[in-house]
Amino acid sequence: MISFESDYITGAHPKVLQALIDSNLTVQSGYGADEYCASAREKIKLACNCPEADVQFLVGGTQTNATVITTMLKEYEGVISATTGHIHAHEAGAVEYSGHKILPLPHTLGKLKAEDVKALIEAFYNDEAHEHMVFPGMVYISHPTEYGTLYSLEELTALSEICRSYNIPLFMDGARLAYGLMSNQTDVTLQDIARLCDVFYIGGTKAGALCGEAVVFTKHNTPAHWMNLIKKRGALLAKGRLLGVQFDALFTDDLFFEIGAHAIKMAEKVKEICAAKGYSFYIDSPTNQQFVVLDKETLERLRKEIAFNIWEWVDDDHAVVRFATAWSTTEEDLQALEALL
Amino acid sequence: MISFESDYITGAHPKVLQALIDSNLTVQSGYGADEYCASAREKIKLACNCPEADVQFLVGGTQTNATVITTMLKEYEGVISATTGHIHAHEAGAVEYSGHKILPLPHTLGKLKAEDVKALIEAFYNDEAHEHMVFPGMVYISHPTEYGTLYSLEELTALSEICRSYNIPLFMDGARLAYGLMSNQTDVTLQDIARLCDVFYIGGTKAGALCGEAVVFTKHNTPAHWMNLIKKRGALLAKGRLLGVQFDALFTDDLFFEIGAHAIKMAEKVKEICAAKGYSFYIDSPTNQQFVVLDKETLERLRKEIAFNIWEWVDDDHAVVRFATAWSTTEEDLQALEALL
Amino acid sequence: MISFESDYITGAHPKVLQALIDSNLTVQSGYGADEYCASAREKIKLACNCPEADVQFLVGGTQTNATVITTMLKEYEGVISATTGHIHAHEAGAVEYSGHKILPLPHTLGKLKAEDVKALIEAFYNDEAHEHMVFPGMVYISHPTEYGTLYSLEELTALSEICRSYNIPLFMDGARLAYGLMSNQTDVTLQDIARLCDVFYIGGTKAGALCGEAVVFTKHNTPAHWMNLIKKRGALLAKGRLLGVQFDALFTDDLFFEIGAHAIKMAEKVKEICAAKGYSFYIDSPTNQQFVVLDKETLERLRKEIAFNIWEWVDDDHAVVRFATAWSTTEEDLQALEALL
Amino acid sequence: MISFESDYITGAHPKVLQALIDSNLTVQSGYGADEYCASAREKIKLACNCPEADVQFLVGGTQTNATVITTMLKEYEGVISATTGHIHAHEAGAVEYSGHKILPLPHTLGKLKAEDVKALIEAFYNDEAHEHMVFPGMVYISHPTEYGTLYSLEELTALSEICRSYNIPLFMDGARLAYGLMSNQTDVTLQDIARLCDVFYIGGTKAGALCGEAVVFTKHNTPAHWMNLIKKRGALLAKGRLLGVQFDALFTDDLFFEIGAHAIKMAEKVKEICAAKGYSFYIDSPTNQQFVVLDKETLERLRKEIAFNIWEWVDDDHAVVRFATAWSTTEEDLQALEALL
């Protein structure tokens, strides 16, 4: 079936798969002490232009968000997030599971504003009773956001400055970072992110890997006894090589960026097709997720031939649907979509 | 380098890898709702002769132990384990992380005795102050144990009977189950385990998969909203197919058992080699881990050529070392070991 | 110093203190198995006209909120609260500490609207991805609210109906219930609350006791092994009599209601004094907390003579201050306030 | 009824009660910012000869143990305790509730040996896989122990030295410290404890208060944002004065020591009476709990007239019973016991 359901509908990019095949019989120590993890770490640090970074591998996105947040926060701290933030809305309470509160803020197309973050922090410290409240201890943003939108360099810089002025780490969820970096409408580079964030992750699962996220602690600031902390959370892989091999492949010959660029190209074509057919967009998304308004009849007709997600119903007769592209999206997929719309 | 370091030193068994290659481009829904998971579930239920079972896939062993235990226990309950149990000794407090206590009992070569379990439970209920104590709510055993030993059918049956008489689930950690089932010295089958345990898992990571454990809830007794509970613990894979494809391969044409049998055959040869050379054994292990006493000089000499683990130092001059075999152990590995000993 | 700082600035009401004196030398078993707890339970059930209720005693408000919520919720559930709810804003993340999320909703003068609760629950179940989200599992309200406002019987009934239609318990935080029940502007009785809520608590600390809150599970619905659950949370008192004696006194000869009525009478006089002097009110509060807008100069002048809380700054020159009355507020206190304003 | 059931069977010592009466109408700020807490802090620091100490008040013993342990441990650490330790055996898993493991060690009459602690720590650091294990992060002892026994100054010094050599805090649970300090068989003073422990608590509940424990952080080492941390655990009292007033009374004119001395004197007489009647002792206890072996017939006869606890059954016909004395134990109580034995 043709599917625009998500960016994790197929297996690994062929080059990632080939790396798994090539490395399969080599003997390696477990728990991340393998040569592939070591190599991938160096390549990522280079790509980030951040020699002082630590790079740590984890399996999936929610695991990564919850682990990074709850190992970096002090016990009396919580994390600021947009109400639309994945950690707040769609991770089953994984942050709270570890005893930490999320401090929600309103969003603009999925994004936090620096001035709102500043206002929250100042209101907190101005409150005489703030020892009875959860301390703001981190800012969580996603880039692209859950709406596919992107922070501009100016916006990201402003957030970073606020965070640094209060000595609060800025954490970027980069589950779909490949598509953010390769968007036609971004001025933010991987190096900018490494410079402006205290920690962020480079999503592998949604960018051509079978699984895996690479956490970049940009200031050699991995929490002490990280291996123990992730073991305690059930996040330590015995065959850590599975993550190392894949990220080593993704960061060889710019594969990661190539994957991002392909999906962006496909998404731009989706946008063109939909616009040409007269459909309207819920959001003008610059990344690999396109949010299109369909009437119910069209929606039902398409559903028989193509897989996609219903984002939300606008009214009884119209819904926003999401078309997501990936490394495996083909021109044939686009033609089929065009024919059906 | 030749390595007897563990059973997770190489990638996937070639047939598992082939299944990943073959399935790579098929389009599948995420989060375990793919065809491979469905197929693997059916094959495992058949192998267990347990049509009423639920089969759930998770990524790694500690994650599986902590998830199964903490989703099945009531809040006032803890889990009984041998002091040597992996959850008690080597999982960084992952069970306690979720707010539950482990109730430790002495072991015999890594095994719990039914009579000790019974005595603990009876002492608990006889104590006038037991509402101030943690209720025994589950029994955790590993098979093979951390010492490579195995429960006999009689011993397992006795544990199961105690558990059922107190309505407490029996949970078997089967991280190395392949080697337990294919041991020359066992009378316990997979079907026996499915019949006698309330929940157990079939280890994939240590039996030829890149990652993955298959949890079998033998009485259709998966905790309600399992997907939410594992998401909350960061244990839900987006590309759930990664687990489905591998277990589908492991349970096609008895591959899982074949892998176990090969490692057992290699381990028996390790045993023969060591015995012929006059080395003594710390434990008479019937499975794929062999515990051999080496003098310091021999140990240091071997270490330059072969990788293995030091289990513990007996005295200043002697250590117990562990030689572990796996699907990838070869006759050449054995010859090299023999030549060096 | 004259103080309108809060309703917990003095010790116990003289009759409560006398009960502690009278009972001091009697020999009683510990942990709530004393005669005073038993007697207080019966008196509270009678006052609630709820013979099927369980009454449980705890020490303080945050402890009570967190204990009730986290012992009643299932693991995949969270609690709906107004953003101004005490549990969300001012309890240091005590609910999240136990691994549960708060699902915040906008408020109207501190109150939740039934239609907003309904909309949240419906949106949740209509979302295709709701297994990735925290299930709405309880509704938390405070009465009086943090703004001193009260639910009408109609509003409370509507909330109760929504909760029952979704089989979700309604929990009322009654830290200041005495003042809600004795307000001149309420049509809600203690019996109404017992009928409409699934669990609520009657605040003792802020109504003349030294400490203590009485939780009323209105449907004999105390979570199983309550003693163990509260012990686990450090909330079980050895000398449980301390709570029993005080609540027995509060529910003898309507003392609890008398205390509430006195504070309301004093608050109404505060209101009159402020109004007569031309000050404006931030909120028209019907209970024992009055929120008055003061200019900075007046505020600073008063502060030298009278203790009170600054609620929030409206602008650089004006702040909302809170004057709280209690059982111990006297006519002399009022005269002093009047003279100073 | 005459009762030797525990040391919390009556209310407050008359002088403590009088202090509550005397202070009742004074106006005080909440949450521990009152004059009585301040005064009690100073008196306790003086009694400990420890000017650099922080003194913090909490409500009960389990709350105090869990709060001190889980706010001082780092996330990857657990606490070493005797298997008989109250936190391990009788606190419903309160330490584990906050995500920390207890590392149990064998005991000698309820006591830990310094050499066993040393051995555990050394074995941990010698283990190549210790990053997979819970780090030893604190040593918990009780003094008197759960068996009423006491550490000698030499034993306590040895434990302290081990802890300091590994930079691990030593925490003493002093729920019954009054009786340990006033025992006829101790060479350990309050000043010794303040010098040798990093944190300990002085039990009020079991020594004449209605409730309350005074935690002494002996090196100005209260965890940062303590008020927030205890609020998060539901342990912050609004009327903190309740604790301050009582401890201020206990540490005025040596009342705390007087209470201890009285109970010890009564316990010694219990010992004499039992010995004279030919009963044997389970343990030679130097404190206020006496453990006497009774035959079943005697036990049943006594039970009709006197309250006491059955500690454990030795065989079908004999049990160890506990007679506990307190500030309120009288000569008449002793005479009644003597007459009945």
Side-chain angles (χ1 to χ4, degrees):
Chain A
M1 194 188 208
I2 289 160
S3 175
F4 291 91
E5 197 179 347
S6 76
D7 31 25
Y8 42 87
I9 56 170
T10 46
H13 185 279
K15 290 186 183 171
V16 172
L17 188 62
Q18 191 60 47
L20 287 169
I21 296 167
D22 293 345
S23 66
N24 194 54
L25 293 180
T26 67
V27 167
Q28 298 289 333
S29 287
Y31 305 114
D34 61 272
E35 294 162 20
Y36 303 104
C37 282
S39 170
R41 283 189 176 99
E42 291 311 308
K43 289 176 182 169
I44 289 171
K45 286 159 69 174
L46 206 63
C48 293
N49 189 26
C50 193
E52 67 276 26
D54 301 330
V55 180
Q56 311 288 3
F57 300 106
L58 289 168
V59 176
T62 295
Q63 181 182 83
T64 300
N65 282 331
T67 300
V68 168
I69 292 168
T70 66
T71 58
M72 291 192 77
L73 287 181
K74 296 192 185 71
E75 213 210 288
Y76 48 86
E77 295 175 337
V79 58
I80 297 171
S81 163
T83 53
T84 47
H86 210 254
I87 56 167
H88 189 59
H90 287 100
E91 297 192 352
V95 168
E96 292 87 353
Y97 185 61
S98 293
H100 290 280
K101 188 179 188 71
I102 297 171
L103 303 166
L105 272 182
H107 72 103
T108 308
L109 292 175
K111 294 193 283 181
L112 282 182
K113 283 187 180 159
E115 67 227 48
D116 291 343
V117 170
K118 185 162 187 276
L120 182 151
I121 298 172
E122 291 192 346
F124 173 83
Y125 283 106
N126 286 336
D127 194 315
E128 292 184 349
H130 72 253
E131 284 287 345
H132 292 218
M133 298 160 67
V134 174
F135 281 63
M138 179 183 258
V139 172
Y140 165 92
I141 55 173
S142 40
H143 181 86
T145 67
E146 295 69 18
Y147 285 103
T149 53
L150 292 170
Y151 287 88
S152 69
L153 185 56
E154 188 182 350
E155 290 168 335
L156 191 60
T157 302
L159 278 168
S160 180
E161 283 171 1
I162 289 296
C163 286
R164 285 179 189 175
S165 72
Y166 286 100
N167 202 22
I168 285 175
L170 176 62
F171 169 41
M172 178 186 284
D173 172 341
R176 291 192 165 99
L177 190 55
Y179 311 117
L181 293 174
M182 302 312 291
S183 168
N184 302 329
Q185 298 170 52
T186 189
D187 59 353
V188 175
T189 66
L190 185 56
Q191 293 88 337
D192 290 328
I193 291 168
R195 181 172 50 82
L196 295 169
C197 295
D198 300 278
V199 57
F200 68 100
Y201 79 88
I202 301 171
T205 305
K206 293 174 176 169
L210 290 169
C211 62
E213 321 296 320
V215 186
V216 183
F217 290 96
T218 60
K219 304 181 164 40
H220 191 45
N221 53 333
T222 307
H225 298 293
W226 175 256
M227 185 187 280
N228 183 282
L229 297 180
I230 67 171
K231 179 87 179 167
K232 191 170 181 173
R233 285 158 172 81
L236 182 63
L237 265 195
K239 291 189 183 173
R241 65 194 289 151
L242 171 58
L243 305 175
V245 167
Q246 294 185 91
F247 271 98
D248 193 53
L250 286 172
F251 281 83
T252 298
D253 298 338
D254 288 337
L255 177 59
F256 180 75
F257 303 97
E258 188 185 296
I259 286 170
H262 173 78
I264 288 293
K265 190 174 139 197
M266 295 291 109
E268 290 296 318
K269 291 195 179 173
V270 168
K271 202 185 285 193
E272 284 167 29
I273 290 167
C274 293
K277 296 271 186 178
Y279 294 99
S280 65
F281 294 87
Y282 177 56
I283 288 167
D284 178 22
S285 163
T287 56
N288 76 316
Q289 302 178 85
Q290 295 298 321
F291 300 87
V292 182
V293 182
L294 295 188
D295 61 278
K296 199 170 179 177
E297 193 193 6
T298 307
L299 188 152
E300 294 300 342
R301 183 164 49 78
L302 257 71
R303 258 199 150 169
K304 286 170 196 148
E305 313 276 343
I306 301 183
F308 54 84
N309 276 338
I310 299 175
W311 199 249
E312 66 178 59
W313 284 91
V314 182
D315 57 36
D316 284 357
D317 287 324
H318 295 83
V320 177
V321 306
R322 184 185 73 170
F323 296 124
T325 61
W327 67 264
S328 55
T329 306
T330 63
E331 293 285 350
E332 288 71 32
D333 294 335
L334 297 174
Q335 287 160 15
L337 179 65
E338 187 167 24
L340 283 161
L341 273 170
Chain B
M1 194 189 208
I2 289 160
S3 175
F4 291 91
E5 197 180 346
S6 76
D7 31 25
Y8 43 88
I9 55 170
T10 44
H13 185 279
K15 290 186 183 171
V16 172
L17 188 62
Q18 192 59 48
L20 287 169
I21 297 166
D22 293 345
S23 65
N24 194 54
L25 293 180
T26 67
V27 168
Q28 299 290 333
S29 287
Y31 305 114
D34 60 274
E35 294 163 19
Y36 304 104
C37 281
S39 170
R41 283 189 176 100
E42 290 311 308
K43 288 177 183 171
I44 288 170
K45 285 159 69 173
L46 206 64
C48 293
N49 190 26
C50 192
E52 69 275 27
D54 300 331
V55 180
Q56 312 287 3
F57 300 107
L58 291 167
V59 176
T62 295
Q63 182 182 82
T64 301
N65 283 331
T67 301
V68 168
I69 291 169
T70 66
T71 57
M72 291 191 78
L73 287 179
K74 297 192 184 71
E75 212 210 288
Y76 48 85
E77 294 175 337
V79 57
I80 296 171
S81 164
T83 52
T84 48
H86 209 257
I87 56 166
H88 189 59
H90 288 98
E91 297 191 352
V95 168
E96 292 86 355
Y97 185 61
S98 293
H100 290 280
K101 189 180 187 69
I102 297 172
L103 303 166
L105 271 182
H107 72 102
T108 308
L109 292 174
K111 295 193 284 181
L112 281 182
K113 284 188 179 159
E115 67 227 49
D116 290 343
V117 171
K118 185 163 188 273
L120 182 151
I121 299 173
E122 291 192 345
F124 173 83
Y125 283 106
N126 286 336
D127 194 316
E128 292 184 351
H130 72 255
E131 284 287 346
H132 291 218
M133 299 161 66
V134 174
F135 282 63
M138 180 183 257
V139 173
Y140 164 91
I141 56 173
S142 41
H143 181 85
T145 67
E146 294 70 19
Y147 286 103
T149 54
L150 293 169
Y151 287 89
S152 69
L153 185 57
E154 188 182 349
E155 290 168 335
L156 191 61
T157 303
L159 279 168
S160 180
E161 283 172 0
I162 289 296
C163 287
R164 287 179 186 175
S165 72
Y166 286 100
N167 202 23
I168 286 175
L170 177 61
F171 169 40
M172 179 186 282
D173 173 341
R176 292 192 164 100
L177 190 56
Y179 312 117
L181 294 173
M182 301 313 289
S183 167
N184 302 328
Q185 298 168 52
T186 189
D187 59 352
V188 174
T189 66
L190 184 56
Q191 293 87 340
D192 291 329
I193 291 167
R195 182 172 48 82
L196 295 169
C197 295
D198 299 279
V199 56
F200 68 100
Y201 80 87
I202 300 171
T205 305
K206 293 174 177 170
L210 289 169
C211 63
E213 322 294 320
V215 186
V216 184
F217 289 97
T218 60
K219 304 183 163 42
H220 191 43
N221 52 332
T222 306
H225 299 292
W226 175 257
M227 185 185 281
N228 183 282
L229 297 180
I230 68 171
K231 180 86 179 165
K232 190 169 181 173
R233 285 160 173 81
L236 182 63
L237 266 194
K239 291 188 184 172
R241 63 194 290 152
L242 171 58
L243 305 175
V245 167
Q246 294 184 92
F247 271 99
D248 193 52
L250 287 172
F251 281 84
T252 298
D253 297 338
D254 287 337
L255 177 60
F256 181 76
F257 303 97
E258 191 185 296
I259 286 170
H262 173 78
I264 288 292
K265 189 174 139 195
M266 295 291 108
E268 289 296 317
K269 289 194 179 174
V270 168
K271 200 186 287 193
E272 283 167 29
I273 289 166
C274 293
K277 296 271 186 177
Y279 293 99
S280 64
F281 294 87
Y282 178 56
I283 287 166
D284 179 23
S285 162
T287 57
N288 77 316
Q289 301 178 87
Q290 296 297 320
F291 300 89
V292 182
V293 182
L294 295 188
D295 60 280
K296 199 170 180 179
E297 193 193 6
T298 306
L299 187 152
E300 294 300 343
R301 184 163 47 78
L302 257 70
R303 259 198 150 169
K304 287 169 197 150
E305 313 275 346
I306 301 184
F308 53 85
N309 277 337
I310 298 175
W311 199 249
E312 67 179 57
W313 285 91
V314 182
D315 57 36
D316 284 356
D317 288 325
H318 295 84
V320 177
V321 306
R322 185 185 72 169
F323 296 125
T325 61
W327 68 264
S328 56
T329 306
T330 63
E331 293 285 348
E332 288 69 32
D333 293 336
L334 296 175
Q335 286 160 16
L337 178 65
E338 186 166 24
L340 283 160
L341 272 172
Chain C
M1 193 187 210
I2 289 161
S3 175
F4 292 91
E5 196 180 346
S6 75
D7 31 25
Y8 42 87
I9 55 168
T10 44
H13 185 280
K15 290 186 183 171
V16 172
L17 188 62
Q18 192 59 47
L20 287 169
I21 297 167
D22 294 344
S23 66
N24 194 54
L25 294 180
T26 67
V27 168
Q28 298 290 334
S29 287
Y31 305 114
D34 61 272
E35 295 163 19
Y36 304 104
C37 282
S39 170
R41 282 188 177 101
E42 290 311 309
K43 288 176 182 171
I44 289 171
K45 286 160 68 174
L46 206 63
C48 294
N49 190 26
C50 192
E52 67 276 26
D54 301 331
V55 180
Q56 311 287 3
F57 300 107
L58 290 167
V59 175
T62 295
Q63 181 182 83
T64 301
N65 282 332
T67 301
V68 167
I69 291 168
T70 66
T71 57
M72 291 191 78
L73 287 180
K74 295 191 185 71
E75 212 209 289
Y76 47 87
E77 295 176 337
V79 57
I80 296 170
S81 163
T83 53
T84 48
H86 209 255
I87 57 167
H88 189 59
H90 286 99
E91 297 192 353
V95 168
E96 291 87 353
Y97 185 62
S98 293
H100 290 280
K101 190 180 187 68
I102 297 172
L103 303 166
L105 272 183
H107 71 103
T108 309
L109 292 175
K111 294 193 282 179
L112 282 181
K113 284 188 180 161
E115 66 227 48
D116 291 343
V117 171
K118 185 163 188 274
L120 182 151
I121 298 173
E122 290 192 347
F124 173 83
Y125 283 105
N126 285 337
D127 194 316
E128 290 184 351
H130 71 255
E131 284 287 345
H132 292 218
M133 299 161 65
V134 174
F135 282 63
M138 180 183 257
V139 173
Y140 164 92
I141 55 172
S142 40
H143 181 85
T145 68
E146 295 69 20
Y147 285 103
T149 53
L150 292 171
Y151 287 88
S152 69
L153 184 57
E154 188 181 349
E155 291 168 336
L156 190 61
T157 302
L159 279 167
S160 180
E161 282 171 2
I162 289 296
C163 286
R164 285 179 188 174
S165 72
Y166 285 100
N167 202 22
I168 286 174
L170 177 61
F171 169 41
M172 178 187 283
D173 173 341
R176 292 192 164 99
L177 190 55
Y179 313 117
L181 293 174
M182 302 312 290
S183 168
N184 302 329
Q185 298 169 52
T186 190
D187 59 352
V188 174
T189 66
L190 184 56
Q191 292 88 338
D192 290 329
I193 291 168
R195 181 172 50 83
L196 295 170
C197 294
D198 300 279
V199 56
F200 69 100
Y201 79 88
I202 301 170
T205 305
K206 292 174 177 169
L210 290 169
C211 63
E213 320 295 321
V215 186
V216 183
F217 289 97
T218 60
K219 303 182 164 40
H220 191 44
N221 53 332
T222 307
H225 298 292
W226 175 256
M227 185 185 282
N228 183 282
L229 297 180
I230 68 170
K231 179 87 180 166
K232 189 169 182 174
R233 285 159 172 80
L236 182 62
L237 265 195
K239 291 188 184 174
R241 63 193 290 153
L242 171 59
L243 305 175
V245 167
Q246 294 184 93
F247 271 99
D248 194 52
L250 286 172
F251 281 84
T252 297
D253 297 338
D254 287 337
L255 176 59
F256 180 75
F257 303 97
E258 190 185 296
I259 287 170
H262 173 78
I264 289 293
K265 190 175 139 196
M266 296 291 109
E268 290 296 317
K269 290 193 178 173
V270 168
K271 201 185 286 192
E272 284 167 30
I273 290 167
C274 294
K277 297 270 185 178
Y279 293 99
S280 65
F281 294 87
Y282 178 56
I283 288 166
D284 179 22
S285 163
T287 57
N288 77 316
Q289 303 178 85
Q290 295 297 320
F291 300 88
V292 183
V293 182
L294 296 188
D295 61 278
K296 200 171 178 177
E297 192 193 6
T298 307
L299 187 152
E300 293 300 342
R301 184 163 48 77
L302 258 68
R303 259 199 150 169
K304 286 170 197 150
E305 314 275 344
I306 300 185
F308 53 85
N309 276 337
I310 298 175
W311 199 250
E312 66 180 58
W313 285 91
V314 182
D315 56 36
D316 285 356
D317 288 324
H318 295 83
V320 178
V321 306
R322 184 186 72 169
F323 297 125
T325 61
W327 67 264
S328 56
T329 305
T330 63
E331 293 286 348
E332 288 70 31
D333 294 336
L334 297 175
Q335 287 160 15
L337 179 65
E338 188 166 23
L340 284 160
L341 273 171
Chain D
M1 193 190 210
I2 290 161
S3 175
F4 292 91
E5 198 180 346
S6 75
D7 31 26
Y8 42 88
I9 56 169
T10 45
H13 186 280
K15 291 185 182 171
V16 172
L17 188 61
Q18 191 59 46
L20 287 169
I21 296 166
D22 293 345
S23 66
N24 194 55
L25 294 180
T26 66
V27 168
Q28 299 289 332
S29 287
Y31 305 114
D34 60 273
E35 296 163 19
Y36 304 105
C37 282
S39 171
R41 283 189 177 100
E42 290 312 308
K43 289 177 183 171
I44 289 171
K45 285 159 68 174
L46 205 65
C48 294
N49 190 26
C50 192
E52 68 276 25
D54 301 331
V55 180
Q56 311 287 4
F57 301 107
L58 291 167
V59 176
T62 295
Q63 181 182 82
T64 302
N65 283 331
T67 301
V68 169
I69 291 168
T70 65
T71 57
M72 291 192 76
L73 287 180
K74 296 191 184 71
E75 213 210 286
Y76 48 86
E77 294 175 337
V79 57
I80 297 171
S81 163
T83 53
T84 48
H86 209 255
I87 56 167
H88 189 59
H90 287 99
E91 297 191 353
V95 168
E96 292 86 354
Y97 185 61
S98 293
H100 290 280
K101 190 180 186 69
I102 297 172
L103 303 166
L105 273 182
H107 72 102
T108 308
L109 291 174
K111 295 194 283 182
L112 282 182
K113 284 188 179 157
E115 67 227 47
D116 290 343
V117 170
K118 184 162 187 275
L120 182 151
I121 298 172
E122 292 192 345
F124 174 82
Y125 282 105
N126 286 336
D127 194 317
E128 292 184 350
H130 72 254
E131 284 287 346
H132 292 218
M133 298 161 65
V134 174
F135 281 63
M138 179 183 259
V139 173
Y140 165 91
I141 56 173
S142 41
H143 181 86
T145 67
E146 294 70 18
Y147 285 103
T149 53
L150 292 170
Y151 287 89
S152 68
L153 184 57
E154 188 182 349
E155 290 168 336
L156 191 61
T157 303
L159 278 167
S160 180
E161 283 172 0
I162 290 297
C163 286
R164 286 177 187 176
S165 71
Y166 285 101
N167 203 21
I168 285 174
L170 176 61
F171 169 40
M172 179 187 283
D173 172 342
R176 291 193 164 98
L177 190 56
Y179 313 118
L181 294 173
M182 301 313 289
S183 167
N184 302 329
Q185 298 169 52
T186 190
D187 58 352
V188 174
T189 66
L190 184 57
Q191 293 88 339
D192 291 329
I193 291 167
R195 181 171 48 82
L196 296 169
C197 294
D198 300 279
V199 56
F200 69 99
Y201 78 88
I202 300 171
T205 305
K206 292 174 178 170
L210 289 169
C211 64
E213 322 295 320
V215 186
V216 184
F217 289 97
T218 61
K219 304 183 164 39
H220 192 45
N221 54 331
T222 306
H225 298 293
W226 175 256
M227 185 186 281
N228 183 282
L229 297 180
I230 67 172
K231 179 87 179 167
K232 191 170 181 173
R233 285 159 172 82
L236 181 62
L237 266 194
K239 292 188 183 174
R241 64 195 288 151
L242 171 59
L243 304 174
V245 167
Q246 294 185 92
F247 271 99
D248 193 52
L250 286 172
F251 281 83
T252 298
D253 298 338
D254 287 337
L255 176 60
F256 181 74
F257 302 98
E258 190 185 296
I259 285 169
H262 173 78
I264 288 294
K265 189 174 138 194
M266 295 291 109
E268 290 296 316
K269 289 195 179 173
V270 167
K271 202 186 285 194
E272 284 167 30
I273 290 166
C274 292
K277 297 270 186 178
Y279 293 98
S280 64
F281 294 86
Y282 178 56
I283 288 166
D284 179 22
S285 162
T287 55
N288 77 317
Q289 302 179 85
Q290 296 297 321
F291 300 88
V292 183
V293 182
L294 296 187
D295 60 280
K296 198 170 178 178
E297 193 194 5
T298 305
L299 187 152
E300 293 301 343
R301 185 164 46 80
L302 257 70
R303 259 197 149 169
K304 286 170 196 149
E305 314 275 344
I306 302 183
F308 54 84
N309 275 339
I310 298 175
W311 199 249
E312 66 178 58
W313 285 91
V314 183
D315 58 36
D316 284 357
D317 288 324
H318 295 83
V320 177
V321 306
R322 184 185 73 169
F323 295 124
T325 61
W327 68 264
S328 57
T329 305
T330 62
E331 293 285 349
E332 288 70 33
D333 293 336
L334 297 175
Q335 287 160 16
L337 178 65
E338 186 166 24
L340 282 161
L341 272 171

